[in-house]
């Protein structure tokens, strides 16, 4: 068991720092230096995430979202939640836990979940996945010349949208508008902060380097007056529906999907939760439909309803 995580409480430190005189506090570094100075004077106070509070938070997250917080995540949890304690003017994690058990819980759960989720993502992350989507899945659909030209893709755990926009660029490249394709991407996440960013479709200009050159002109727009930002083209945005969905809850979708992306999401869940999730994905895929997982995830030995189609891409067989 790792010892309790401590995080400096900024409120009293600010007062202490002000007593020390000098310029107003501007950045984290300044706060840090002054905090140390205050500590030398013996006034330092800290937030401590003790065993009981950490166990409560870990149990809560596991029940609500499936996310497992093992003991080595304690430091991370402490660091991320300190901002919530400050925003709520709470003095301790014990007060935070009390809030989560009281009538104010509902208002805070969304913030707690948003703070704990890990949202790392990128455009065209694992490029081989998009080559397979382009050259095999979508190109085969076009070659079949279906009577009902329809494609449904779900990006489950879409984070800030880079994944569904990458799918949309790939789709728009293969499916020609004049062929009457009815194509849609459902993009869901539990975290409302990242969903807001995804819906806006605005990204730092440096993200451009992850987008294939041939797609940049077609699908990425400059933002007038802001050289540091890029925006996804309207053509892509109309292909995607962003929704909040907790994968741990019931799913309201009715139809079946051709492809489900659930990459780098299940790694945060325990094995029984993963098994249940992957079997539910099978229920939501057409026979022959594809499930994409992240590079560190696998279905081998987890469910027999899929076969390997490509590297970390699985085909539903039953
Ligand atoms: C590391 S990101 C992966 C983003 C993207 N799929 C990729 O591979 O680049 C994991 C995402 O899963 C979401 N997530 C975690 N638990 C979830 C749950 N129970 N329901 C829905 N989304 C969840 C997180 O909010 C986060 O945005």
């Amino acid at each position: 068991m790792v010892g309790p995580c401590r995080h400096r409480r900024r409120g009293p430190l600010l007062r202490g720092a002000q007593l020390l005189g000098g310029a107003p506090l501007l950045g984290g570094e300044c706060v840090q230096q002054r905090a140390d100075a205050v500590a030398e004077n013996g006034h330092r106070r800290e937030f401590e995430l003790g065993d009981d509070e950490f166990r409560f938070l870990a149990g809560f997250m596991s029940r609500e979202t499936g996310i497992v917080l093992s003991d080595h995540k304690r430091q991370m949890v402490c660091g991320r939640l300190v901002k919530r304690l400050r925003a709520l003017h709470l003095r301790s994690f014990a007060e935070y836990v009390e809030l989560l058990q009281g009538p104010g819980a509902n208002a805070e759960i969304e913030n707690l979940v948003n703070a704990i989720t890990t949202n790392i993502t990128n455009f065209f992350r694992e490029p081989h996945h998009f080559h397979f989507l382009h050259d095999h899945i979508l190109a085969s659909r076009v070659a079949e010349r279906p009577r009902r030209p329809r494609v449904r893709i779900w990006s489950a755990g879409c984070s800030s949208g880079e994944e569904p926009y990458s799918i949309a660029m790939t789709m728009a490249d293969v499916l020609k508008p004049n062929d009457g394709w009815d194509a849609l991407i459902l993009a869901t996440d539990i975290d409302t902060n990242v969903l807001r960013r995804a819906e806006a479709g605005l990204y730092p200009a440096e993200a451009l380097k992850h987008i294939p050159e041939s797609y940049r002109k077609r699908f990425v727009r400059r933002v007038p007056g802001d050289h540091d930002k890029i925006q996804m083209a309207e053509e892509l945005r109309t292909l995607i529906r962003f929704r909040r969905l907790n994968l741990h809850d019931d799913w309201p979708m009715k139809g079946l999907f051709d492809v489900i992306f659930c990459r780098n999401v299940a790694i945060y869940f325990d094995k029984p939760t993963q098994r249940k999730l992957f079997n539910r994905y099978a229920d939501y895929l057409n026979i022959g439909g594809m499930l994409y997982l992240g590079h560190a995830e696998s279905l081998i030995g987890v469910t027999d309803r899929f076969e390997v189609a490509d590297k970390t891409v699985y085909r539903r067989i039953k």
Side-chain angles (χ1 to χ4, degrees):
M1 187 67 82
V2 182
C5 145
R6 293 190 171 82
H7 225 278
R8 289 194 183 106
R9 284 186 51 188
R10 198 175 284 165
L13 290 180
L14 268 174
R15 282 197 293 278
Q18 282 152 2
L19 286 177
L20 293 174
L25 298 177
L26 292 175
E29 198 191 4
C30 190
V31 171
Q32 186 74 30
Q33 284 168 3
R34 281 158 190 266
D36 291 343
V38 174
E40 281 160 25
N41 289 343
H43 294 302
R44 189 173 70 165
R45 292 178 66 188
E46 298 166 326
F47 288 114
E48 281 187 26
L49 178 53
D51 285 347
D52 289 349
E53 289 80 24
F54 180 68
R55 254 196 303 275
F56 174 87
L57 291 166
F60 189 88
M61 285 301 292
S62 160
R63 275 191 313 279
E64 292 288 320
T65 71
I67 294 173
V68 175
L69 296 173
S70 43
D71 213 55
H72 72 275
K73 297 265 176 81
R74 186 193 292 221
Q75 194 74 36
M76 177 211 89
V77 170
C78 181
R80 290 183 182 181
L81 289 183
V82 156
K83 292 188 198 91
R84 291 305 311 148
L85 268 68
R86 286 188 182 130
L88 294 162
H89 305 289
L90 299 179
R91 285 168 305 176
S92 66
F93 274 100
E95 284 188 5
Y96 190 62
V97 163
E98 209 173 292
L99 179 111
L100 290 171
Q101 291 171 297
N106 280 347
E108 181 54 20
I109 290 171
E110 183 177 327
N111 293 316
L112 165 67
V113 170
N114 288 357
I116 295 296
T117 51
T118 296
N119 311 112
I120 297 162
T121 187
N122 232 325
F123 287 103
F124 293 92
R125 186 179 192 181
E126 297 182 61
H128 63 96
H129 276 168
F130 297 91
H131 295 151
F132 190 74
L133 178 66
H134 188 286
D135 297 346
H136 295 275
I137 303 176
L138 295 174
S140 314
R141 287 305 296 276
V142 171
E144 281 165 15
R145 296 171 164 271
R147 269 192 317 136
R148 212 170 138 226
R150 185 177 190 272
V151 180
R152 291 289 181 269
I153 299 184
W154 178 14
S155 166
C158 66
S159 188
S160 38
E162 288 87 335
E163 179 177 277
Y165 284 116
S166 304
I167 298 169
M169 288 185 229
T170 311
M171 246 185 179
D173 193 45
V174 183
L175 310 179
K176 302 299 168 217
N178 291 344
D179 294 344
W181 282 92
D182 167 14
L184 269 185
I185 300 160
L186 172 67
T188 65
D189 204 283
I190 195 172
D191 182 333
T192 50
N193 282 339
V194 288
L195 279 174
R196 266 190 289 276
R197 279 161 41 203
E199 227 152 358
L202 279 168
Y203 297 94
E206 64 189 31
L208 206 57
K209 64 175 182 275
H210 299 290
I211 299 176
E213 217 167 324
S214 59
Y215 289 171
R216 291 181 198 166
K217 254 211 180 90
R218 284 176 64 190
F219 301 125
V220 182
R221 304 284 170 261
R222 298 264 165 222
V223 177
D226 191 345
H227 295 300
D228 298 332
K229 293 245 163 58
I230 53 169
Q231 179 145 45
M232 296 297 105
E234 192 56 29
E235 179 187 353
L236 303 179
R237 292 150 62 88
T238 55
L239 285 174
I240 310 174
R241 302 286 177 276
F242 289 103
R243 299 281 183 273
R244 181 178 189 268
L245 179 71
N246 180 354
L247 293 169
H248 217 49
D249 286 346
D250 291 336
W251 300 345
M253 297 86 79
K254 295 278 183 289
L256 298 184
F257 292 91
D258 301 294
V259 183
I260 298 176
F261 279 68
C262 183
R263 306 185 307 159
N264 310 299
V265 179
I267 32 165
Y268 300 102
F269 303 158
D270 61 19
K271 284 277 169 232
T273 308
Q274 288 182 5
R275 178 169 290 116
K276 198 172 147 205
L277 180 67
F278 296 145
N279 280 315
R280 282 176 92 191
Y281 283 144
D283 295 337
Y284 274 75
L285 276 169
N286 290 310
I287 292 282
M290 302 285 183
L291 174 62
Y292 278 69
L293 299 185
H295 61 94
E297 299 158 330
S298 166
L299 288 188
I300 294 162
V302 179
T303 166
D304 61 356
R305 298 183 66 188
F306 294 88
E307 65 179 11
V308 175
D310 200 45
K311 196 173 153 200
T312 53
V313 184
Y314 298 86
R315 182 183 294 107
R316 181 188 166 192
I317 50 170
K318 56 180 167 180

